[in-house]
Structures are given as structure tokens and as C-alpha cells.
Amino acid sequence: MADGGEAKRPKGVQAEERKVDWRRWKQERKAEKKKWKEMKLLKKLEKQRMQELAEKQAKKQEEQKEDKGRHYTLSVALPGSILNNAQSLELRTYLAGQIARACAIFCVDEIVVFDEHGEDVKSVEGDFEGIGRRGKACVQLARVLQYLECPQYLRKSFFPKHEDLQFAGLLNPLDSPHHMRVDEDSEYREGVVLDRPTKPGRGSFVNCGMRKEVQIDRQLNPGLRVTVRLEEPQKPEAKVQKGTVVSSHHPRTVSGLYWGYSVRLASCLSAVFSECPFKEGYDLSIGTSERGSSVDQATLPSFKHALVVFGGLEGLEAGVDVDPNLEVTDPSVLFDFYLNTCPSQGSRTIRTEEALLISLSALRPHIDEAVKTPRDS
């Protein structure tokens, strides 16, 4: 009995010890569970924090991307008669090339060629006619300007062989951002819609000067020049690339890219203003003359569409005198600012192609300062 009682005692002790271990295990388990919940909550909070941070960064990048855009335009108007000062067709062509290069360098968005001698150029509609050495200078200048602005791979589609362009090989290329090489990567490209059949519900095919054609998001008439935004990422094994048609000013307003200039013919000086392509018109107009006030003292206001007008051999007065719509004799009253962009000049005359470079260079810091100033609402 004694032996039996002693034998049972260790079992009670073991049971008690087992009971104590079980309680401790429950406590440890509870602590681990609590710790696991805390870790899970921390991970969830960290995930939320990272997600909020990613959203903030994406929003910031989107804002920065939007801020890249250039929301103002710069237009230049000059008389086509400046070509008549050149002695040969080769020199006329080269002079037009100098105008195009100067405008591209200073990111001019529109070039207006106006008639100051009463030539019979009243509309930009229809085909341009050929010219000789003299006459119809406005037409030739406009054609050469358009030819140079067009990307090289599109010129055969839009510019058939023409007498005005027989010396185009003399011209220096603009090398603007929209003049792409074959393998150059870019978000945007200029192209021409091809005359190719497509499946129902699919867009037209466009030649964008790449090794592969681009299929756009809509059906368009063949022969139309379009600006295409290429989709990213592109599948390398695909036979064609995908893109979306956007407006020609989209690269400028969204990405801040200079995307060439448009060319407009005006029958007279007043038509430069009255036929403005912008709904609100030019809210800043600048005339250039040696009789104007010095550009150094000028402070330009904030603007959306600026116009800088240049005269020919006889100055802006010649354009005012032959304009049937103007009753003024002093050209300075037509402009918000009438400026001398080269005070104390050493030559009696400054040629228009020279004045273009001088004036745009002198006005550039004033324009940059003006566009930084917030507009009055």
C-alpha cells in the first residue's frame, strides 16, 4: 500500500506539472497571436503608406508632365517681297531657307507671309502657281517654308516636282524635333495616311517614317498629314505599331516639344490680324522698326498669342500705304509695342533675314519673362 501510494504520488505531481505547462502554452500562444496580429496590422499600414506615397509620386509626375507644356504661341509676319531683293532663283531659295532656319531656331509657331506690293495673292486656297525670277514672291516663299518644315520622309507625298523647289538641295535642313530618323524613339511622329484596305472597326495605316507602319485609332482619308502619338510599350514581334491621332499642337501643349510652324498667306498687312487662326486673336503685337523705341526698356505683359511683324526693304510704312483697309499712315498705331531691336546700328539698313535673327534674339528674354508672369483673370 505504501509502495502503491508512493507510486501514485509522482503521477499527481506530473499531472500538476502538465497542467502548469498547458496554461503557460496558452499564454505563449496568446502572446504569439497578439504579436502576429500586430505584425499584420503594421504590414497593412506600411502597405497603405507605400500606396499613398506611390499615388502622390504619380500625381506629382503627372503635374510635372503637365507643366512641361508650352501654352503660348509665337507668330512672325513678314512680306514676301523680300525675295525680290535676291539676284537669282538660287539666292531667292536660299534666302527663304534662312528665314525658315531662323524661325525654327527660335521656336516660331506660325509664319505669316503678307503682300505689301498688291500682288494678286488673295487666298491660300488651291494650288500654288509657279513663278519666274520676279513676281509672286509671296507664293514662292510660302512654298519653300512649307517644304522645309515638312519631315523628309513625307516630302514626296506632299510636294511634287516644282520649279520653285528646283534648288531645294541648297537648303540647310531645319533638323527640328519632329524631323525623326528611322530608328529614333519618340512619343510623337508625323505621318501620312496610306491608301490601304483595313478590317472593319480598325483604324487606317500611317507611314511615320519608321521600319513598320503605324495603325491609328480611327479611319481617315488617304493622303492626310497627321500627328500620331505612339502607344507604349510596343510589341517587337508585331507587324505594325499602334498609335493614336492627336492634334498638331498636342506635342507643344502637353510635352513642351517644338513641333514646327504653320505657314499662312495674307493679302495685305491688315489681313495678318483679321485672319488670325486663334479665336481670341493676337493679344500681343510687336512691330519692328528703326524708328521704334529701344527694346532694352520694353517690359512685355503676359500673353497667350504673340505676333512680331517685320517690314521689307521700305519698312512697314510700305505695307500700310498699299493696304486698302487701313486709313492710318503711321504703322506704330497698329501695334501694342513698336520697337527698335537693334539700337545704334552700324549699317544704314538691316535686311529682313538679319532683322529676324536680331529681333527674336533681343526679344527672347523679354518673352521668357512675360510668360512667367501670371495672366490677369
Side-chain angles (χ1 to χ4, degrees), residues 124-200:
V124 296
E125 299 297 328
D127 296 330
F128 290 146
E129 298 175 5
I131 61 160
R133 287 192 176 185
R134 297 284 173 184
K136 296 195 176 177
C138 296
V139 171
Q140 187 189 17
L141 177 57
R143 188 192 300 278
V144 176
L145 291 175
Q146 287 178 330
Y147 177 83
L148 279 174
E149 187 277 334
C150 183
Q152 290 88 334
Y153 56 86
L154 296 180
R155 287 175 181 169
K156 284 186 178 179
S157 302
F158 296 108
F159 295 93
K161 191 174 180 180
H162 197 281
E163 182 187 355
D164 291 353
L165 302 174
Q166 63 178 305
F167 296 107
L170 297 172
L171 302 175
N172 298 313
L174 298 190
D175 206 17
S176 296
H178 66 303
H179 289 201
M180 303 287 178
R181 278 67 170 174
V182 176
D183 297 316
E184 192 173 350
D185 291 330
S186 176
E187 185 179 1
Y188 304 94
R189 271 186 177 264
E190 289 291 291
V192 58
V193 180
L194 301 175
D195 189 6
R196 273 186 52 186
T198 57
K199 295 179 181 179

Coordinates of all heavy atoms in Angstrom, one line a residue, residues 124-200:
V124 N -5.1 81.5 -99.6 CA -4.2 80.3 -99.5 C -4.8 79.1 -100.1 O -4.2 78.0 -100.1 CB -3.8 80.1 -98.1 CG1 -3.0 81.2 -97.5 CG2 -5.0 79.7 -97.2
E125 N -6.0 79.2 -100.6 CA -6.7 78.0 -101.2 C -6.2 77.7 -102.6 O -5.8 78.5 -103.3 CB -8.2 78.3 -101.2 CG -8.9 78.5 -99.9 CD -8.8 77.4 -98.9 OE1 -8.8 76.2 -99.4 OE2 -8.7 77.6 -97.7
G126 N -6.3 76.4 -102.9 CA -5.9 75.9 -104.3 C -4.4 75.7 -104.4 O -3.6 75.9 -103.4
D127 N -4.0 75.3 -105.6 CA -2.6 75.0 -105.8 C -1.8 76.3 -106.1 O -2.3 77.2 -106.7 CB -2.4 74.1 -107.0 CG -3.0 72.7 -106.8 OD1 -3.1 72.3 -105.6 OD2 -3.5 72.1 -107.7
F128 N -0.6 76.3 -105.6 CA 0.3 77.5 -105.9 C 0.7 77.4 -107.4 O 1.0 76.3 -107.9 CB 1.5 77.5 -105.0 CG 1.2 77.8 -103.6 CD1 1.9 77.2 -102.5 CD2 0.2 78.7 -103.2 CE1 1.6 77.5 -101.2 CE2 -0.1 79.0 -101.9 CZ 0.6 78.4 -100.9
E129 N 0.9 78.6 -108.0 CA 1.4 78.6 -109.4 C 2.9 78.8 -109.3 O 3.4 79.4 -108.4 CB 0.7 79.7 -110.1 CG -0.8 79.5 -110.3 CD -1.5 80.7 -110.9 OE1 -0.7 81.6 -111.4 OE2 -2.7 80.7 -111.0
G130 N 3.5 78.4 -110.4 CA 5.0 78.6 -110.5 C 5.3 80.1 -110.7 O 4.5 80.9 -111.0
I131 N 6.6 80.5 -110.6 CA 7.0 81.9 -110.7 C 8.2 81.9 -111.6 O 8.9 80.9 -111.9 CB 7.3 82.5 -109.4 CG1 8.5 81.8 -108.7 CG2 6.1 82.5 -108.5 CD1 9.1 82.5 -107.7
G132 N 8.5 83.1 -112.0 CA 9.8 83.4 -112.7 C 10.8 83.9 -111.7 O 10.7 83.7 -110.5
R133 N 11.7 84.7 -112.2 CA 12.7 85.3 -111.2 C 12.0 86.4 -110.4 O 12.4 86.7 -109.3 CB 13.9 85.9 -112.0 CG 14.8 84.8 -112.5 CD 16.1 85.5 -113.0 NE 17.0 84.4 -113.5 CZ 18.3 84.7 -113.9 NH1 18.7 86.0 -113.9 NH2 19.1 83.8 -114.2
R134 N 11.0 87.1 -111.1 CA 10.4 88.2 -110.4 C 8.9 87.9 -110.3 O 8.3 87.2 -111.0 CB 10.5 89.5 -111.2 CG 12.0 89.9 -111.3 CD 12.5 90.5 -110.1 NE 13.9 90.8 -110.1 CZ 14.6 91.3 -109.1 NH1 14.1 91.5 -108.0 NH2 15.9 91.5 -109.2
G135 N 8.2 88.5 -109.3 CA 6.8 88.4 -109.1 C 6.4 87.1 -108.3 O 7.1 86.1 -108.3
K136 N 5.3 87.2 -107.7 CA 4.7 86.2 -106.9 C 5.7 85.6 -105.9 O 5.8 84.4 -105.7 CB 4.2 85.0 -107.8 CG 3.0 85.5 -108.7 CD 2.3 84.4 -109.3 CE 1.1 84.9 -110.1 NZ 0.3 83.9 -110.8
A137 N 6.4 86.5 -105.3 CA 7.4 86.2 -104.3 C 6.7 85.5 -103.0 O 7.3 84.7 -102.4 CB 8.2 87.4 -103.9
C138 N 5.5 86.0 -102.7 CA 4.8 85.5 -101.5 C 4.6 84.0 -101.6 O 4.8 83.2 -100.7 CB 3.5 86.2 -101.3 SG 3.7 88.0 -100.9
V139 N 4.2 83.6 -102.9 CA 3.9 82.2 -103.1 C 5.1 81.4 -103.0 O 5.1 80.3 -102.4 CB 3.2 82.1 -104.5 CG1 3.1 80.6 -104.9 CG2 1.9 82.8 -104.6
Q140 N 6.2 81.8 -103.6 CA 7.4 81.0 -103.5 C 8.0 80.9 -102.1 O 8.4 79.8 -101.7 CB 8.5 81.6 -104.5 CG 9.7 80.7 -104.5 CD 10.9 81.3 -105.2 OE1 11.0 82.5 -105.4 NE2 11.9 80.5 -105.7
L141 N 8.0 82.0 -101.4 CA 8.4 82.0 -100.0 C 7.6 81.0 -99.2 O 8.2 80.2 -98.4 CB 8.4 83.4 -99.4 CG 8.8 83.5 -97.9 CD1 10.2 83.0 -97.7 CD2 8.7 85.0 -97.5
A142 N 6.3 81.1 -99.3 CA 5.4 80.2 -98.6 C 5.7 78.7 -98.9 O 5.7 77.9 -98.0 CB 3.9 80.5 -98.8
R143 N 5.9 78.4 -100.2 CA 6.1 77.1 -100.6 C 7.4 76.5 -100.0 O 7.5 75.4 -99.5 CB 6.2 76.9 -102.1 CG 6.2 75.5 -102.6 CD 6.5 75.4 -104.1 NE 5.5 76.1 -104.9 CZ 4.4 75.5 -105.3 NH1 4.1 74.3 -104.8 NH2 3.5 76.2 -106.0
V144 N 8.5 77.3 -100.1 CA 9.8 76.9 -99.6 C 9.7 76.7 -98.1 O 10.3 75.7 -97.5 CB 10.9 77.8 -100.0 CG1 12.2 77.4 -99.3 CG2 11.1 77.9 -101.5
L145 N 9.0 77.6 -97.4 CA 8.9 77.4 -95.9 C 8.1 76.2 -95.6 O 8.5 75.4 -94.6 CB 8.1 78.7 -95.4 CG 8.9 80.0 -95.4 CD1 7.9 81.1 -94.9 CD2 10.1 80.0 -94.6
Q146 N 7.1 75.9 -96.3 CA 6.3 74.6 -96.1 C 7.1 73.4 -96.4 O 7.1 72.4 -95.6 CB 5.0 74.6 -96.9 CG 4.0 75.6 -96.4 CD 2.7 75.6 -97.3 OE1 2.8 75.3 -98.5 NE2 1.6 75.8 -96.8
Y147 N 7.9 73.5 -97.4 CA 8.7 72.3 -97.8 C 9.8 72.0 -96.7 O 10.0 70.8 -96.4 CB 9.5 72.6 -99.1 CG 10.4 71.6 -99.6 CD1 10.0 70.5 -100.3 CD2 11.8 71.7 -99.3 CE1 10.9 69.5 -100.7 CE2 12.7 70.7 -99.7 CZ 12.2 69.6 -100.4 OH 13.1 68.6 -100.8
L148 N 10.4 73.0 -96.2 CA 11.4 72.8 -95.2 C 10.9 72.3 -93.9 O 11.5 71.5 -93.2 CB 12.2 74.1 -95.0 CG 13.3 74.4 -96.0 CD1 13.9 75.8 -95.7 CD2 14.4 73.3 -96.0
E149 N 9.6 72.8 -93.5 CA 9.0 72.3 -92.3 C 8.6 70.9 -92.3 O 8.6 70.2 -91.3 CB 7.8 73.2 -92.0 CG 7.1 73.0 -90.6 CD 6.2 71.9 -90.6 OE1 5.6 71.5 -91.7 OE2 5.9 71.3 -89.5
C150 N 8.3 70.4 -93.5 CA 7.8 69.0 -93.7 C 8.9 68.0 -93.4 O 10.0 68.2 -94.0 CB 7.2 68.8 -95.1 SG 6.5 67.2 -95.4
P151 N 8.7 67.0 -92.6 CA 9.8 65.9 -92.4 C 10.2 65.3 -93.7 O 9.4 65.2 -94.6 CB 9.1 64.9 -91.5 CG 8.0 65.7 -90.8 CD 7.5 66.7 -91.7
Q152 N 11.4 65.0 -93.8 CA 12.0 64.5 -95.1 C 11.2 63.3 -95.7 O 11.0 63.2 -96.9 CB 13.5 64.1 -95.0 CG 14.4 65.3 -94.7 CD 14.5 65.7 -93.3 OE1 13.6 65.5 -92.5 NE2 15.6 66.4 -92.9
Y153 N 10.8 62.4 -94.8 CA 10.2 61.2 -95.3 C 8.8 61.4 -95.8 O 8.1 60.5 -96.4 CB 10.2 60.1 -94.3 CG 9.6 60.4 -92.9 CD1 8.2 60.3 -92.7 CD2 10.3 60.9 -91.9 CE1 7.6 60.7 -91.5 CE2 9.7 61.3 -90.7 CZ 8.4 61.2 -90.5 OH 7.8 61.5 -89.3
L154 N 8.2 62.6 -95.6 CA 6.9 62.9 -96.1 C 6.9 63.8 -97.3 O 5.8 64.1 -97.9 CB 6.1 63.6 -95.0 CG 5.8 62.8 -93.7 CD1 5.0 63.6 -92.7 CD2 5.0 61.5 -94.0
R155 N 8.0 64.3 -97.7 CA 8.0 65.4 -98.8 C 7.5 64.8 -100.1 O 6.9 65.6 -100.9 CB 9.4 65.9 -98.9 CG 9.8 66.9 -97.7 CD 11.2 67.3 -97.8 NE 11.5 68.2 -96.6 CZ 12.7 68.6 -96.2 NH1 13.7 68.2 -96.9 NH2 12.8 69.4 -95.2
K156 N 7.8 63.6 -100.4 CA 7.4 63.0 -101.7 C 5.9 62.9 -101.8 O 5.3 63.0 -102.8 CB 8.0 61.7 -102.0 CG 9.5 61.7 -102.4 CD 10.0 60.3 -102.7 CE 11.4 60.4 -103.2 NZ 12.0 59.1 -103.5
S157 N 5.2 62.8 -100.6 CA 3.8 62.7 -100.6 C 3.1 64.0 -100.7 O 1.9 64.1 -101.2 CB 3.4 62.0 -99.3 OG 3.9 60.8 -99.1
F158 N 3.7 65.1 -100.3 CA 3.1 66.4 -100.3 C 3.7 67.4 -101.3 O 3.0 68.4 -101.6 CB 3.1 67.0 -98.9 CG 2.3 66.1 -97.9 CD1 3.0 65.4 -97.0 CD2 1.0 66.1 -97.9 CE1 2.3 64.6 -96.0 CE2 0.3 65.3 -97.0 CZ 0.9 64.6 -96.1
F159 N 4.9 67.2 -101.8 CA 5.5 68.2 -102.7 C 6.0 67.5 -104.0 O 7.1 67.0 -104.0 CB 6.7 68.8 -101.9 CG 6.3 69.7 -100.8 CD1 6.2 69.1 -99.5 CD2 5.9 71.0 -100.9 CE1 5.9 69.9 -98.4 CE2 5.5 71.7 -99.8 CZ 5.5 71.2 -98.6
P160 N 5.1 67.5 -105.0 CA 5.6 67.0 -106.3 C 6.6 67.9 -106.9 O 6.8 69.1 -106.4 CB 4.3 67.0 -107.1 CG 3.4 68.1 -106.5 CD 3.7 68.0 -105.0
K161 N 7.3 67.5 -107.9 CA 8.3 68.2 -108.5 C 7.8 69.6 -109.0 O 6.7 69.7 -109.6 CB 8.9 67.5 -109.7 CG 10.2 68.1 -110.3 CD 10.7 67.2 -111.4 CE 12.0 67.8 -112.0 NZ 12.6 66.9 -113.0
H162 N 8.5 70.7 -108.6 CA 8.0 72.0 -108.9 C 9.2 72.9 -109.2 O 10.3 72.8 -108.5 CB 7.2 72.5 -107.8 CG 6.3 73.7 -108.1 ND1 6.8 75.0 -108.2 CD2 5.0 73.8 -108.4 CE1 5.9 75.8 -108.5 NE2 4.8 75.1 -108.6
E163 N 9.0 73.9 -110.0 CA 10.0 74.9 -110.4 C 10.5 75.6 -109.1 O 11.7 75.9 -109.0 CB 9.5 75.9 -111.4 CG 10.6 76.9 -111.9 CD 10.0 77.9 -112.8 OE1 8.8 77.8 -113.1 OE2 10.7 78.9 -113.1
D164 N 9.6 76.0 -108.2 CA 10.0 76.7 -107.0 C 11.0 76.0 -106.2 O 11.7 76.6 -105.4 CB 8.8 77.1 -106.2 CG 7.9 78.1 -106.9 OD1 8.3 78.6 -107.9 OD2 6.8 78.3 -106.4
L165 N 11.0 74.7 -106.3 CA 11.8 73.8 -105.4 C 13.0 73.2 -106.1 O 13.6 72.3 -105.6 CB 10.9 72.7 -104.7 CG 9.7 73.2 -103.9 CD1 8.9 72.0 -103.5 CD2 10.2 74.0 -102.7
Q166 N 13.3 73.7 -107.3 CA 14.4 73.0 -108.0 C 15.8 73.2 -107.4 O 16.7 72.4 -107.6 CB 14.4 73.6 -109.5 CG 14.7 75.1 -109.6 CD 14.8 75.5 -111.0 OE1 15.5 74.9 -111.8 NE2 14.0 76.5 -111.4
F167 N 15.9 74.2 -106.5 CA 17.2 74.4 -105.8 C 17.1 74.1 -104.3 O 17.8 74.6 -103.5 CB 17.7 75.9 -106.0 CG 18.0 76.2 -107.4 CD1 17.2 77.0 -108.1 CD2 19.1 75.7 -108.0 CE1 17.4 77.3 -109.4 CE2 19.4 76.0 -109.3 CZ 18.6 76.8 -110.1
A168 N 16.1 73.2 -104.0 CA 15.9 72.8 -102.6 C 17.1 72.1 -102.0 O 17.3 72.1 -100.8 CB 14.6 72.0 -102.4
G169 N 17.9 71.5 -102.9 CA 19.1 70.8 -102.4 C 20.1 71.8 -101.8 O 21.0 71.3 -101.1
L170 N 20.0 73.1 -102.1 CA 20.9 74.1 -101.5 C 20.6 74.4 -100.0 O 21.4 74.9 -99.3 CB 20.9 75.4 -102.3 CG 21.4 75.3 -103.7 CD1 21.1 76.7 -104.4 CD2 22.8 75.0 -103.8
L171 N 19.4 74.0 -99.6 CA 18.8 74.5 -98.3 C 19.4 73.6 -97.2 O 19.5 72.4 -97.3 CB 17.3 74.4 -98.3 CG 16.6 75.2 -99.4 CD1 15.2 75.0 -99.4 CD2 17.0 76.7 -99.3
N172 N 19.7 74.3 -96.1 CA 20.1 73.6 -94.9 C 18.9 73.1 -94.2 O 17.8 73.8 -94.1 CB 20.8 74.6 -93.9 CG 22.1 75.2 -94.5 OD1 22.9 74.4 -95.1 ND2 22.3 76.5 -94.4
P173 N 18.9 71.8 -93.7 CA 17.7 71.3 -93.0 C 17.4 71.9 -91.7 O 18.3 72.5 -91.0 CB 18.1 69.8 -92.8 CG 19.6 69.8 -92.8 CD 20.0 70.9 -93.8
L174 N 16.1 72.0 -91.3 CA 15.8 72.6 -90.1 C 16.2 71.7 -88.9 O 16.5 72.2 -87.8 CB 14.2 72.8 -90.0 CG 13.6 73.7 -91.0 CD1 12.1 73.9 -90.7 CD2 14.4 75.0 -91.2
D175 N 16.2 70.4 -89.1 CA 16.5 69.5 -88.0 C 15.7 69.7 -86.7 O 16.2 69.7 -85.6 CB 18.0 69.5 -87.7 CG 18.6 68.2 -87.1 OD1 17.9 67.2 -87.3 OD2 19.7 68.2 -86.5
S176 N 14.4 69.9 -86.9 CA 13.5 70.2 -85.8 C 13.2 68.8 -85.1 O 13.5 67.8 -85.6 CB 12.2 70.8 -86.3 OG 12.5 72.1 -86.8
P177 N 12.6 68.9 -83.9 CA 12.3 67.7 -83.1 C 11.4 66.7 -83.9 O 11.5 65.5 -83.7 CB 11.7 68.2 -81.8 CG 12.2 69.5 -81.7 CD 12.4 70.1 -83.0
H178 N 10.5 67.2 -84.8 CA 9.6 66.3 -85.5 C 10.2 65.8 -86.8 O 9.6 65.0 -87.5 CB 8.3 67.1 -85.8 CG 8.4 68.2 -86.7 ND1 9.2 69.3 -86.5 CD2 7.8 68.5 -87.9 CE1 9.1 70.1 -87.5 NE2 8.2 69.6 -88.4
H179 N 11.5 66.1 -87.0 CA 12.2 65.5 -88.2 C 13.0 64.3 -87.7 O 14.1 64.4 -87.3 CB 13.1 66.6 -88.8 CG 12.4 67.6 -89.6 ND1 13.0 68.4 -90.5 CD2 11.1 68.0 -89.5 CE1 12.1 69.3 -91.0 NE2 11.0 69.1 -90.4
M180 N 12.3 63.2 -87.6 CA 12.9 62.0 -87.0 C 13.7 61.1 -87.9 O 13.5 61.1 -89.1 CB 11.7 61.1 -86.4 CG 10.8 61.8 -85.5 SD 11.6 62.0 -83.9 CE 10.3 62.9 -83.0
R181 N 14.7 60.4 -87.3 CA 15.4 59.4 -88.1 C 14.6 58.1 -88.0 O 13.6 58.0 -87.3 CB 16.8 59.2 -87.5 CG 17.8 60.1 -87.9 CD 17.6 61.5 -87.4 NE 18.7 62.4 -87.6 CZ 18.7 63.7 -87.4 NH1 17.6 64.3 -86.9 NH2 19.7 64.5 -87.6
V182 N 15.0 57.1 -88.8 CA 14.2 55.9 -88.9 C 14.1 55.2 -87.6 O 13.0 54.8 -87.2 CB 14.8 54.9 -90.0 CG1 14.0 53.6 -90.0 CG2 14.7 55.6 -91.4
D183 N 15.2 55.0 -86.9 CA 15.2 54.2 -85.7 C 15.2 55.1 -84.4 O 15.4 54.6 -83.3 CB 16.5 53.4 -85.6 CG 16.5 52.3 -86.7 OD1 15.5 51.7 -87.0 OD2 17.6 52.2 -87.4
E184 N 14.8 56.3 -84.6 CA 14.8 57.2 -83.4 C 13.5 57.0 -82.6 O 12.4 57.0 -83.2 CB 14.8 58.7 -83.9 CG 15.1 59.7 -82.8 CD 15.3 61.1 -83.3 OE1 15.5 61.2 -84.5 OE2 15.3 62.0 -82.5
D185 N 13.6 56.9 -81.3 CA 12.5 56.7 -80.4 C 11.9 58.0 -80.1 O 12.6 59.0 -79.7 CB 12.9 55.9 -79.2 CG 13.2 54.5 -79.4 OD1 12.7 53.9 -80.4 OD2 14.1 53.9 -78.7
S186 N 10.6 58.1 -80.2 CA 9.9 59.4 -79.8 C 8.4 59.0 -79.5 O 7.8 58.1 -80.0 CB 9.9 60.4 -81.0 OG 9.2 61.5 -80.7
E187 N 7.8 59.9 -78.6 CA 6.4 59.7 -78.2 C 5.5 60.1 -79.4 O 4.4 59.5 -79.5 CB 6.1 60.5 -77.0 CG 4.7 60.3 -76.4 CD 4.5 61.2 -75.2 OE1 5.4 61.9 -74.8 OE2 3.4 61.0 -74.6
Y188 N 5.9 61.0 -80.2 CA 5.1 61.5 -81.3 C 5.9 61.4 -82.6 O 7.1 61.4 -82.6 CB 4.7 63.0 -81.1 CG 4.0 63.3 -79.8 CD1 4.8 63.7 -78.7 CD2 2.7 63.2 -79.7 CE1 4.1 64.0 -77.5 CE2 2.0 63.5 -78.5 CZ 2.8 63.9 -77.4 OH 2.1 64.2 -76.2
R189 N 5.1 61.3 -83.7 CA 5.6 61.3 -85.0 C 4.6 61.9 -86.0 O 3.4 61.7 -85.8 CB 6.0 59.9 -85.5 CG 7.5 59.5 -85.1 CD 7.8 58.1 -85.7 NE 9.2 57.8 -85.4 CZ 10.2 58.0 -86.2 NH1 10.0 58.5 -87.4 NH2 11.4 57.6 -85.9
E190 N 5.2 62.5 -87.0 CA 4.3 63.0 -88.1 C 4.2 61.9 -89.2 O 5.2 61.1 -89.4 CB 4.9 64.2 -88.8 CG 4.9 65.5 -88.0 CD 3.5 66.0 -87.8 OE1 2.9 66.5 -88.8 OE2 2.9 65.9 -86.7
G191 N 3.0 61.8 -89.8 CA 2.8 60.7 -90.8 C 1.8 61.1 -91.8 O 1.2 62.1 -91.7
V192 N 1.7 60.2 -92.8 CA 0.7 60.4 -93.9 C -0.1 59.2 -93.9 O 0.4 58.0 -93.9 CB 1.4 60.7 -95.3 CG1 2.3 59.6 -95.7 CG2 0.3 60.9 -96.3
V193 N -1.5 59.3 -94.0 CA -2.4 58.2 -94.1 C -2.3 57.5 -95.4 O -2.3 58.1 -96.5 CB -3.9 58.7 -93.9 CG1 -4.8 57.5 -93.9 CG2 -4.0 59.4 -92.6
L194 N -2.1 56.2 -95.4 CA -1.9 55.4 -96.6 C -3.2 54.9 -97.1 O -4.2 54.7 -96.4 CB -1.0 54.2 -96.2 CG 0.4 54.5 -95.7 CD1 1.1 53.2 -95.3 CD2 1.2 55.2 -96.7
D195 N -3.2 54.7 -98.5 CA -4.4 54.2 -99.1 C -4.4 52.7 -99.1 O -4.0 52.0 -100.1 CB -4.4 54.7 -100.6 CG -5.8 54.4 -101.3 OD1 -6.7 53.9 -100.6 OD2 -5.9 54.7 -102.5
R196 N -4.7 52.1 -98.0 CA -4.6 50.6 -97.8 C -5.9 50.2 -97.2 O -6.4 50.8 -96.3 CB -3.4 50.2 -96.9 CG -2.1 50.0 -97.7 CD -1.1 49.5 -96.7 NE -1.5 48.3 -96.0 CZ -0.8 47.7 -95.1 NH1 0.3 48.2 -94.7 NH2 -1.3 46.6 -94.5
P197 N -6.4 49.0 -97.6 CA -7.7 48.5 -97.0 C -7.4 48.0 -95.6 O -6.4 47.5 -95.3 CB -8.1 47.3 -97.9 CG -6.8 46.9 -98.6 CD -6.0 48.1 -98.7
T198 N -8.4 48.2 -94.7 CA -8.3 47.8 -93.3 C -9.6 47.0 -93.0 O -10.6 47.1 -93.6 CB -8.2 49.0 -92.4 OG1 -9.3 49.9 -92.6 CG2 -6.9 49.8 -92.6
K199 N -9.5 46.2 -91.9 CA -10.6 45.4 -91.5 C -11.6 46.3 -90.8 O -11.3 47.4 -90.3 CB -10.1 44.4 -90.5 CG -9.2 43.3 -91.1 CD -8.8 42.3 -90.0 CE -7.8 41.3 -90.6 NZ -7.4 40.3 -89.6
P200 N -12.9 45.9 -90.8 CA -14.0 46.7 -90.2 C -13.7 47.0 -88.7 O -13.3 46.0 -88.0 CB -15.2 45.9 -90.4 CG -14.9 45.0 -91.6 CD -13.5 44.7 -91.5

